[in-house]
Structures are given as structure tokens and as C-alpha cells.
Amino acid sequence: MKRSSYRIIPLILLAALAAPIGSFLAYGLEKDSKRTEAIEVKAPEFPKDTRWLNTEAPVTLAAMKGRVVVLDFWTYCCINCLHALPRLAALDEKYKNRPVTVIGVHSGKFDQEKSDEKVKHAIRKYGVRHPVAMDDEYEIWTRWGVRAWPTVAFIRPDGTIYGVTSGEPDPGQLETVVDQLLAEGEKTGTLSNGGAPALRREKPPGGRFLYPGKVLAVKEGVFVADSGHHRVVRLDEAGAVSETYGGPEAGFADGPPDAVRFREPQGMAIYEGRLFIADRGNHAIRELDLESGRTKTLAGTGKKARGIGSGGPALSQALRSPWALAWRDSGLDVAMAGSHQIWRYENGVIRPLAGSGLENILDGGLSGAAFAQPSGLALSGGRLYVADSETSAVRVLDFGKRRVDTLVGSGLFDFGYVDGYGRAAKLQHPLGITARGDTLYIADSFNNAIRTLDLAVKNRVGTLKMEGVRGLNEPSGLSVLGDILYVADTNRHRILKVDLKTGRSEIFAE
């Protein structure tokens, strides 16, 4: 979860050979170091009671002998982990006919992430193609001395550890190491084509929507970011589809509704007949002209930025997972989840607006404040409210004072389900937020609930009582139009509507 430079750290000889594996990770080989004698440390076997997903049977490292094994320690809430998944998918594809196996180790951060069913949803949502070990109690994590998400470990064909690294891999870096280990295995005669795990991939359900991430209700219609189908859908007042833009396959292309391509679109905003879309997986912001139906790219290159960046001309500036948008004055505020910042697009230029890029919860001036994976935005009363997911927080940007403050939340590992006032209340990984008067509605995603925050009553946090539809499953997006609250009930692949006067809820579209 904390970012770090991507560097392979080979294991080297230490004085205490019996030390835990993690003890080796603080050391690297230096060019002129005398301490360069490599040692062979056998990779620790998975615990026998490990629960396995996405595979037909339990996986053992003993059975993997003869193969290069790549272990990915991840948790599905973490944006850095999500950034690593496409690299691992590319690795799977490139070496599908070679003795290479990728294995995910899901060491969940939040309580919600220790559920097999929830992780199965994440596997489907993000197209994970390899076996996943459930490591709820951090037993595998501890055996490997892991300290951050994501962490990748490499195992030689003879079953010994080559090295461990944390951080997001850049294109080609994983392949460079795997090629080296394959060449080494060929030279030593340790490679074998046997032992590949039998996969049983989690298949997504059929239906109109697939993991809809965000919803936007405006006079022009109800727009749904149908993230799993890589498209945006426009619904009429009865919930029927009136137009579809993009999908069902992912891509990055401008054009009319049937030619445009998105990749996991998320938040939306609208202004004067133009729908703006946070194209999360393409690390871009798109503009859809509702009259012509044509979409063009407004910001981003289609590639993930390697670092935070200082901004510049929007079409040449690489971005990092824009997740939510809000139109303000003559431009867009952007929740840049992948850099833990709020950015601003205006007049063809995009640049950081608030947040240093440090992943934390720090109040203060715009440039010195810190966010942690901001994923929802709501503009009300001239202030911008932020669902800051990794700190389970609600933050506010006061543009008059040019500062950031926290309304709810206290730390990266402080979360729960508690109603109350201000920081005495607790949320769990909120992804969406919207405003109606003095009330904020929060998609408290990992608590499977809609929470309320009353700005007029000492920031009192409560739970929205919904009569009718029950059983929310990781709601991610909210939008208010008049007295109706629209909810993207993501893991149930549906859009709900809630009458805020009566509390009555019903399925609007599924």
C-alpha cells in the first residue's frame, strides 16, 4: 500500500542464517560489496489449511518444483495492487506455454476483504487469471516478511527464493526477471513443464450490468458507468436503456457510440450537454457530446503515469486512475485515486490541486495535505467533499481558505461501523459520496450500507434506513436528483432508487 521504488532484492549471506526471510529483505547487493555470496533459501510452503480461489484444488510449492513461480501479495482495496494486476495478466499470457506460474496471495486489509465471496467478486471484476490463496491471518505474509501491498516474490525452479520487491512493476520488469530465471533453469537443468495448477476461473454473471461503479442522475437521464462491460449506459426515467456508449470489450478509442472504447469507466460529471467520464483503466478523462454521441479524450495518454507528476498539457500528461469527477466553475475537479491527490482540469491543462501524493490523512493547506485513494467527489455550498477510501474518511476542500480538513476518519488502519459525531463515527472504505442540502450521502462500500452525514448538526453520521430492497453489496456510486437517491449497488449488478422522503427503495434497473 505504501509506494516504493521497484527494485529486486536478491537474498544474500547474513551472519544469522536461521533468521526469518523478512530479515534478508533490508539488504541488497552493491556493486563493490564484499558480501556477495548468494545463498539458497527454500521458499516456505503454503499452510495446509489455506483456502484457494480460482483453482480446482489446493496449490503447493512442492508441486511447482521445476517452474518459475511469481507470488503477488495483494488486497483488492489497494489501488497500487490494481495497477499491478494488468502486469500480472500480461505475464500469464506471455508465458502460458512455458513453465511459469503466477499465484496471488490475498492478505486483506479490511474486514470485508477476508470473505471468500467478496474476493471472488474482485477476481471477476478485475479479471484475475491465476490461483489466489486467502491469507486472512497474514500467515503467508509473515513467513515472507512482507511489509507493503503490493509485494512480488520470485521463486526459482529448484524451489529457492530469488528475491522480493514491493511497489508497482513497470511494463517489462516482471518479464525481465522471469526470463532470467528461465535461462538459469535451462542452464542448470531444473526446469519442468509439469505441475501447473488446474484453474477454475470465477465467471461473471450474465445480466444488463456488470459491476456498475458509478451513477449520475441529471435532467438528461440517469447515466451508469457499467464498469465491467467497459461502457456508459444512459437510462430513461423508467430505467430503460436509451443509449449505450462503448463496450462490451475494453479498449481506448474515440468515436461514435458503437466505436468508442473505455476500460473500467467510473465517475461522471455533466455540463452544458457534455458528459465527462473518468476512464479509470485507461488513466484518462473522456468527453461525450450528448447531441452528436461522439466521445473524445480530454486528458491522459491511455497509459498509467509512473510517478505523481506536476501536470501540464492535458493530452500529453499521463494520469493515475482518475476515479471521480466534479464540474466546478469552468473545469473539472478529479479524484486521482492512483496518486492520492485531487487534480484540476481547465482550459486544456491538468495539474494537481490538492494533496502532496503522500498516502495518509493529513489536514492543512492544499499542497501539504495528504489523501489516501480518493474515490468519490461531491460539490456543495462551494466546497468539495471527498470520499477518501483508504482512510475510511470524508474530507473537505474549502477553496476560500485553501485548505483540507477531515470530517470523519483518523488513519489508514482505523475503520469500522459506528454512528456518531465527526471523528467518533467510523466508516469502512467508502467509494462514493453525493450531497443534498446540508446532508451528505456516503456509499460506505465495505460496510454494505449508505451512511448520512449531517453538516448542520455537528457532522453527525447515521445510517440511511431503506424500506424495501435489502442486502446491498459494496455500493460504490451515489447520485441525488430531487428527492430521489440513485445507488450503484456494484456487486449485485443493479441500480437502486431511494425516495428520501419516505425511505422506500426499489430496483430501478438491473
Side-chain angles (χ1 to χ4, degrees):
M1 186 156 298
K2 64 178 182 181
R3 295 190 305 276
S4 61
S5 59
Y6 193 87
R7 183 167 62 100
I8 305 299
I9 306 178
L11 302 182
I12 60 175
L13 184 62
L14 300 178
L17 297 183
I21 290 171
S23 299
F24 296 100
L25 303 187
Y27 297 85
L29 291 175
E30 299 177 0
K31 182 178 180 182
D32 298 322
S33 173
K34 296 179 180 179
R35 192 173 53 195
T36 58
E37 182 182 351
I39 64 170
E40 294 185 354
V41 177
K42 185 177 180 181
E45 187 58 87
F46 298 114
K48 290 183 178 180
D49 59 353
T50 298
R51 306 190 315 280
W52 287 91
L53 306 178
N54 229 28
T55 184
E56 291 285 357
V59 176
T60 66
L61 291 180
M64 296 293 104
K65 195 167 184 179
R67 306 181 67 83
V68 174
V69 177
V70 181
L71 296 185
D72 171 45
F73 289 86
W74 69 302
T75 183
Y76 77 82
C77 70
C78 168
I79 191 65
N80 307 105
C81 297
L82 300 189
H83 286 168
L85 289 178
R87 305 286 180 245
L88 294 164
L91 200 72
D92 270 322
E93 179 62 26
K94 179 175 180 178
Y95 298 101
K96 61 185 178 183
N97 297 318
R98 301 294 304 278
V100 177
T101 296
V102 177
I103 298 174
V105 180
H106 191 273
S107 306
K109 170 186 173 181
F110 290 98
D111 292 342
Q112 179 93 337
E113 296 178 292
K114 298 177 182 181
S115 157
D116 289 10
E117 196 56 41
K118 302 298 184 183
V119 178
K120 285 180 182 180
H121 277 298
I123 288 171
R124 298 183 193 109
K125 188 184 302 183
Y126 300 114
V128 176
R129 302 174 54 181
H130 47 259
V132 174
M134 291 293 288
D135 187 32
D136 301 342
E137 303 302 322
Y138 301 96
E139 188 173 353
I140 306 172
W141 171 287
T142 301
R143 290 184 182 188
W144 280 86
V146 176
R147 297 182 179 88
W149 296 280
T151 287
V152 177
F154 300 88
I155 304 174
R156 297 184 180 94
D158 66 3
T160 61
I161 300 169
Y162 168 74
V164 181
T165 183
S166 62
E168 298 175 15
D170 286 325
Q173 288 181 316
L174 297 176
E175 289 84 348
T176 297
V177 179
V178 170
D179 285 342
Q180 177 181 333
L181 295 181
L182 286 171
E184 178 185 302
E186 289 174 351
K187 184 177 181 179
T188 59
T190 55
L191 287 181
S192 171
N193 277 315
L199 298 181
R200 185 184 60 203
R201 291 177 183 160
E202 299 293 335
K203 295 182 179 180
R208 184 191 298 184
F209 304 120
L210 183 63
Y211 298 109
K214 299 291 186 182
V215 60
L216 177 66
V218 290
K219 61 182 178 62
E220 292 87 350
V222 177
F223 295 90
V224 178
D226 190 12
S227 308
H229 286 142
H230 310 290
R231 64 181 184 171
V232 173
V233 176
R234 186 178 186 177
L235 306 176
D236 64 20
E237 60 184 12
V241 175
S242 60
E243 188 63 84
T244 298
Y245 308 92
E249 68 275 2
F252 186 50
D254 292 341
D258 59 346
V260 64
R261 292 293 177 263
F262 302 100
R263 189 180 304 273
E264 298 176 25
Q266 288 288 339
M268 297 164 288
I270 196 166
Y271 180 71
E272 292 186 343
R274 294 173 291 160
L275 183 73
F276 303 98
I277 303 156
D279 192 2
R280 204 288 297 175
N282 281 321
H283 310 283
I285 299 170
R286 318 292 291 279
E287 178 188 306
L288 166 59
D289 185 309
L290 294 176
E291 183 176 352
S292 69
R294 296 189 65 87
T295 297
K296 67 178 182 179
T297 301
L298 204 64
T301 64
K303 303 293 184 182
K304 176 175 67 70
R306 295 183 63 181
I308 294 172
S310 58
L315 288 173
S316 60
Q317 175 65 49
L319 307 178
R320 289 176 63 84
S321 286
W323 208 289
L325 304 174
W327 181 270
R328 177 175 58 87
D329 298 333
S330 57
L332 287 166
D333 295 327
V334 183
M336 202 70 71
S339 65
H340 312 293
Q341 294 173 301
I342 307 300
W343 282 48
R344 174 76 176 170
Y345 169 87
E346 196 167 2
N347 298 324
V349 175
I350 191 166
R351 63 179 75 254
L353 170 66
S356 63
L358 175 69
E359 184 179 14
N360 210 326
I361 181 168
L362 296 175
D363 294 343
L366 295 184
S367 61
F371 297 88
Q373 206 169 308
S375 303
L377 298 177
L379 189 66
S380 181
R383 296 179 176 181
L384 186 69
Y385 296 91
V386 181
D388 204 22
S389 63
E390 280 299 304
T391 51
S392 300
V394 176
R395 318 289 295 283
V396 58
L397 277 70
D398 188 315
F399 298 108
K401 297 179 180 178
R402 294 193 59 78
R403 64 171 287 119
V404 176
D405 287 296
T406 299
L407 304 182
V408 181
S410 55
L412 278 165
F413 293 89
D414 297 332
F415 58 88
Y417 194 160
V418 179
D419 289 342
Y421 291 89
R423 293 196 177 195
K426 289 189 181 298
L427 310 171
Q428 186 179 184
H429 197 72
L431 289 172
I433 191 168
T434 192
R436 177 176 178 259
D438 288 329
T439 302
L440 302 179
Y441 296 90
I442 305 158
D444 193 5
S445 304
F446 283 10
N447 279 326
N448 305 300
I450 307 301
R451 311 291 291 282
T452 59
L453 193 158
D454 193 332
L455 298 170
V457 186
K458 299 180 180 179
N459 297 330
R460 182 177 63 193
V461 175
T463 299
L464 181 66
K465 292 179 171 54
M466 296 168 52
E467 300 294 335
V469 178
R470 297 186 181 276
L472 296 177
N473 195 332
E474 290 192 14
S476 301
L478 302 175
S479 184
V480 168
L481 182 60
D483 294 324
I484 302 299
L485 175 69
Y486 292 86
V487 180
D489 192 9
T490 302
N491 284 1
R492 293 202 185 279
H493 318 290
R494 63 189 183 181
I495 307 300
L496 307 181
K497 59 186 295 188
V498 184
D499 188 321
L500 295 175
K501 286 185 174 180
T502 66
R504 185 71 186 173
S505 62
E506 61 184 77
I507 297 173
F508 178 64
E510 65 178 348

